[in-house]
Amino acid sequence: MATTTMSTLQISGLHWAPGNGWQLAGIDLHVAAGEFVGLIGANGSGKTSLLRCAYRAQAPSAGTVQLDGEDIWQQTPRWTAQRIAVMLQEFPQEFGLTVRDVVAMGRAPHQGWFSGDSAGDLALIDQTLADLGLRGFAEHSFASLSGGEKQRVLLARALVQEPTLLMLDEPTNHLDPRYQLALLAHLRHRPLSVLASFHDLNLAAAFCDRLYVLDHGRIVASGTPTDVLTPERLLQVFGVHALVDRHPLADHPRITWISP
């Protein structure tokens, strides 16, 4: 079973060049232990591709991805799955599974080939469902849930994996404002290192310690939300003018897009 140690992630000189000519070029990125780091950029900027290289779904053409000093591409998929959990935008095929069945999949990297869920596994699953407001959904069919409910179930599956690093691809898709805030606040208070891509820049500003800005497969800025989310940078990357001021109730930037 994974320890509760929070991992560090170091991506150095990463390039990715698939057959269609699109590429990530010269990516350097760091996530410190316990840090919540966001990836932002326009659609097609490379956020999902970068995450896929970082969680061992697609091999980079060059460069390294190191977790706690170990190159993940020199390790087995099981080694990686015991340390890195992933929550994606799309929903998996559920094949008639219940919510509990889907969440229990997160325990697989820590189990033997023919072992079932232990008492400890079952207790962790039940507690995680309760933490995410899903206690009464355990025996429901995953297919019967709303998009937002499915999103929370997939987060529960990732958390019962007991990762030391959690990666999320636009985790607030399908969620109403209440659950967007609840999900991100929940993650902020867990002993985890987090790397997540964001579409909503105000959520990124509110919850991330640092941000990396991707533009056409390259990192063009990094730093705190205050450093990165400037009107000039937003115009450069998103092609839209924005008013950036301070949130009236919290110490982080607030972005208001200005219609042409």
Side-chain angles (χ1 to χ4, degrees), residues 1-8 33-34 67-68 78-85 106-107 109-110 124 158-166 190-193:
M1 184 176 295
T3 68
T4 57
T5 302
M6 296 174 284
S7 286
T8 61
L67 187 71
D68 298 325
R78 182 180 177 87
W79 183 94
T80 304
Q82 289 174 341
R83 294 159 175 83
I84 299 176
R107 296 304 304 152
H110 305 291
L124 176 61
L159 292 176
V160 303
Q161 200 171 324
E162 293 189 299
T164 56
L165 172 65
L166 179 62
R190 291 187 72 97
L192 276 173
S193 305

Side-chain angles (χ1 to χ4, degrees), residues 113-153:
W113 288 108
F114 301 107
S115 61
D117 295 325
S118 67
D121 292 333
L122 295 174
L124 176 61
I125 291 165
D126 288 342
Q127 184 59 56
T128 304
L129 288 172
D131 290 345
L132 294 176
L134 295 166
R135 186 189 297 275
F137 290 79
E139 303 308 323
H140 289 203
S141 166
F142 181 76
S144 71
L145 304 183
S146 69
E149 289 164 348
K150 287 180 176 178
Q151 199 85 338
R152 285 187 284 148
V153 170

Side-chain angles (χ1 to χ4, degrees), residues 86-218:
V86 183
M87 180 178 162
L88 304 177
Q89 295 183 47
E90 64 269 14
F91 299 130
Q93 296 294 323
E94 42 75 36
F95 299 111
L97 298 177
T98 67
V99 166
R100 186 189 298 278
D101 293 333
V102 172
V103 175
M105 291 178 180
R107 296 304 304 152
H110 305 291
Q111 296 172 340
W113 288 108
F114 301 107
S115 61
D117 295 325
S118 67
D121 292 333
L122 295 174
L124 176 61
I125 291 165
D126 288 342
Q127 184 59 56
T128 304
L129 288 172
D131 290 345
L132 294 176
L134 295 166
R135 186 189 297 275
F137 290 79
E139 303 308 323
H140 289 203
S141 166
F142 181 76
S144 71
L145 304 183
S146 69
E149 289 164 348
K150 287 180 176 178
Q151 199 85 338
R152 285 187 284 148
V153 170
L154 297 183
L155 176 61
R157 182 178 70 174
L159 292 176
V160 303
Q161 200 171 324
E162 293 189 299
T164 56
L165 172 65
L166 179 62
M167 296 191 190
L168 309 105
D169 194 1
E170 299 193 9
T172 56
N173 272 8
H174 312 291
L175 297 177
D176 62 33
R178 172 191 174 189
Y179 284 114
Q180 288 180 359
L181 297 173
L183 181 150
L184 294 173
H186 183 80
L187 293 179
R188 283 291 313 186
H189 290 93
R190 291 187 72 97
L192 276 173
S193 305
V194 178
L195 176 63
S197 67
F198 282 91
H199 175 73
D200 188 322
L201 301 190
N202 281 304
L203 289 176
F207 288 96
C208 292
D209 299 307
R210 290 187 302 113
L211 299 173
Y212 286 88
V213 185
L214 279 167
D215 189 24
H216 294 90
R218 296 178 180 273

Side-chain angles (χ1 to χ4, degrees), residues 16 24 46-60 72-73 88 90 167 169:
W16 179 63
L24 297 168
K47 300 186 298 295
T48 296
S49 295
L50 175 53
L51 287 175
R52 285 178 58 82
C53 290
Y55 62 77
R56 210 178 183 279
Q58 64 189 19
I72 67 169
W73 288 97
L88 304 177
E90 64 269 14
M167 296 191 190
D169 194 1

